[in-house]
Amino acid sequence: MTAGHSQSPRLPREVNALALGTALLCVALAWAGRTALNPDGVSYLDVAARLAAGEWDAAVQGYWSPLYPALLAAVMKVTAATGSTLLAWVHALNAAIAIGCILGIRRLALAHGDPIVARGLFATFLLCSARTPRLDAVTPDLLLLLAVIGIGSELLLHGVRRWGILGLWLGMAFLVKTSSWPWLAVTAAMLLLREGGARRRVFCAIAVVAAVMSLWIVPLSLASGRPTFGSAGRLNACWYLEGCDSRTPDTHGGTHARIGALTVTGGETVALADFTGTPWTYLPWSDPTAWEAGVGSRIRAPLDLFDLVSYWGRQLRAVLAYWTPHVLLGVLVPMALLTWRPGLWQEAWARDRRSGVVALLGILGVAQFVAVHAEPRLIAPFVMLVGMGALWWLRPPGAAALPRPLAMRWVLVLTWIGFATAVPRGVWHVYALALRSEAETRRIAGLVEAAARSIPGGLSGKQIVVIGPVIPVVSEAWLFGGRIVAQIPPASADRVRSWPPEQQRELLARLGQGPGEIAWLSKGDGSFQMAPIPRRPH
C-alpha cells in the first residue's frame, strides 16, 4: 500500500524540524567522538589503506566487508590525511552516512503522511542502538542501517515494483556486511512467497542482488581458490559458539605457524608471534582469515547443547531486557496505546501484509545475530526495520488522526516520549564523548612527549614488539603510524614481568636481532610502558 491520502498541512514543517534536530545531534556526536578509534576500526582503516595504495591482493580478504573500507579509502585519497586528522575525517564520513539515514527517514515520513508516525520513525532511529547512533565507532554498522532503511522504505512504499532499486539496496547490504547473506536469502524467499503475483519482479530483484554481490564474491573466491561468501560467519561461529581460543595471540594458547619460542639465560622460554612480511598494523586482527589459516591447535572444547542454549538465552535476554526496551517503551507501546482496538492485528494483516513482512524481516535479522553474537550496534539496523514495519502496521497511511474519543487525546502526548527521551540522552553522550576526546588527546600528547625523551625519533612510524595483549593498545599503534611486527602473548608476558631486570634486558637484546624498534609492555586496561630495543647485528 502506498500513501495516496492528503497530508496534514503541518506535516512537512514537523518532519523537517525532526530531521534537522536529529541531524544536528548526529553532527555533534561525530564531532565529540572525533578521536575515538576501536580495534575493528583499525582493521577497516588497514584494509582501506591497502585499497588506497592499489594493493588489491592484500585488500581482498574474507573477514572484513568491502564497502566501508572503500569509502574510507576514498577519504584517504581525497584528504591525504593521516593519524588523528584522518580519524576526524572518518568521523565526518560517519556523520554524512547518518544524515543519509535521516534523509531516508524523512522521505518515508512524508510519504506516509502522519506526524505521529514521523515522530516514531525518528525516535526509533535515535534509540535503535540502545542509545543515540554510534557515530564514534569506526565500523560499517551505520552504513548497514542506511541500507536497511532503504530496503524497508522500498518494500513499504513500492513493494517489488521498483525491483532494480530494491535489488541495489539488498546488494549494498551484502557489501556492507557480508555475513548478512543468510538474512538476504531469507528475505528473497519471503518475497517470493509474499509477492505471489509479482514473482517475475522478485526474480529480477534477486538477479540485481546477485550481480552486486558478485563484485565481491568473484575476487574473494579467486583469492581463496574456492567459491566463498567470506569467512566472517565461520570465524564468528568458531569464536563464539565452538569455544575456539584462536582469535588472536591475546587469547590463543595453542600452536600456530607464526608462533615460535625465544630462550634467555637460565632456560626461561617465552612464546613469540612473528608478524613480519605483512602490511597490517596487527596481522591477526586486520586479516583474521590469514591468521586462522596458521592455527595448529585449539585448546577449548566446543559448547555442548546446554552451554549453547545458555548462551542463546543470555544473548536473547540482553536484547530484550537491555537493548530494545528503549524502542519498545518509547515508540511502539505508545503507538499501540493510541491505535489499539479489538481485531486490530487481524484487520492490519488483511489490509496490508507487507508491513508485517518488513517487521518480521527485522526480527529475523536480530535473530541471526542472537544466534552467533549480538550487541547493540550490530542489531540496530534490524531493530530499525522492526520499528518501521510495526509503525506502518499499527498506523497505516490514511488512518484517522484521532481514533480515540476526545477525552483520550492525552494519549497523543505519549507519541513524543521516544524523541523527547532520546534527545537528552544524545546530549549527554555528546558531553561524555567530548570529555573522553579531551582526555584522549591529552593522553596521546603525553605519550608523544614521553617518547621524545626516551625513544630516538619518537613513536611515529616505528616497528613495535608488544609484550602482553595487543587489542587494548592497537589503536595507539595505528595513531602513531606504527606496525606491530611481533608479540609475546599475555601468558608469556606475565612471566616476563616477574623476571629480574638483567633477564628483561637480555630479552630486549634478543628482540634487537629482529626488526622491532620499540618494546611495549602492555596491560589489559590499555596502559603500556615503552622502551627502545637496542639494535644488534644479525
Side-chain angles (χ1 to χ4, degrees), residues 123 130 146 173 223 233 259 274 277 303 308 314 317 330 338 372 400 406 416 446 466 493:
L146 174 61
I259 297 181
D274 178 9
L303 301 179
L308 198 57
R314 291 193 302 273
R317 185 166 60 251
L338 182 67
V372 182
L406 184 63
W416 280 102
V466 175

Side-chain angles (χ1 to χ4, degrees), residues 119-128 327 331 383-384 387-388 391:
R119 297 168 204 159
L121 289 170
F122 281 103
T124 301
F125 171 71
L126 288 176
L127 295 171
C128 64
V327 171
V331 180
V383 174
M384 182 75 211
M388 293 167 66
L391 287 168

Side-chain angles (χ1 to χ4, degrees), residues 50 135 142 241 280 298 309 321 334 342 375 422 424 444-445 448 469 490 535:
R50 305 281 69 77
L135 280 84
L142 199 61
L241 302 183
W280 310 111
R298 302 182 177 92
V309 171
E375 58 181 90
I444 295 297
V448 171
R535 306 307 303 162

Side-chain angles (χ1 to χ4, degrees), residues 62-138:
Y63 190 77
W64 305 109
S65 303
L67 187 53
Y68 190 59
L71 294 178
L72 296 178
V75 171
M76 291 177 178
K77 295 288 283 186
V78 170
T79 65
T82 59
S84 58
T85 303
L86 173 59
L87 192 56
W89 278 106
V90 169
H91 289 292
L93 171 65
N94 284 355
I97 295 170
I99 290 172
C101 294
I102 292 165
L103 291 176
I105 295 170
R106 176 184 178 276
R107 169 178 172 268
L108 183 63
L110 289 173
H112 184 284
D114 189 338
I116 294 174
V117 171
R119 297 168 204 159
L121 289 170
F122 281 103
T124 301
F125 171 71
L126 288 176
L127 295 171
C128 64
S129 300
R131 50 153 286 187
T132 44
R134 290 296 309 276
L135 280 84
D136 54 305
V138 183

Side-chain angles (χ1 to χ4, degrees), residues 148-241:
V148 168
I149 289 172
I151 293 167
S153 296
E154 280 299 313
L155 290 175
L156 290 171
L157 295 176
H158 307 289
V160 295
R161 287 195 298 276
R162 303 200 314 179
W163 51 266
I165 296 175
L166 177 61
L168 289 174
W169 280 120
L170 290 166
M172 175 182 168
F174 173 78
L175 295 181
V176 173
K177 193 172 281 288
T178 56
S179 60
S180 66
W181 69 263
W183 179 78
L184 293 172
V186 171
T187 299
M190 288 188 64
L191 291 179
L192 285 171
L193 291 173
R194 169 67 183 86
E195 305 287 343
R199 287 182 178 171
R200 181 177 178 181
R201 289 175 179 163
V202 176
F203 280 117
C204 288
I206 292 172
V208 173
V209 176
V212 175
M213 291 174 65
S214 69
L215 296 175
W216 183 243
I217 292 173
V218 170
L220 185 60
S221 298
L222 291 174
S224 304
R226 59 182 176 81
T228 180
F229 288 98
S231 62
R234 174 176 60 84
L235 292 181
N236 283 328
C238 177
W239 298 333
Y240 296 107
L241 302 183

Side-chain angles (χ1 to χ4, degrees), residues 364-385:
L364 292 173
V366 173
Q368 174 178 318
F369 283 94
V370 168
V372 182
H373 173 60
E375 58 181 90
R377 64 178 174 83
L378 297 177
I379 67 171
F382 303 101
V383 174
M384 182 75 211
L385 195 60

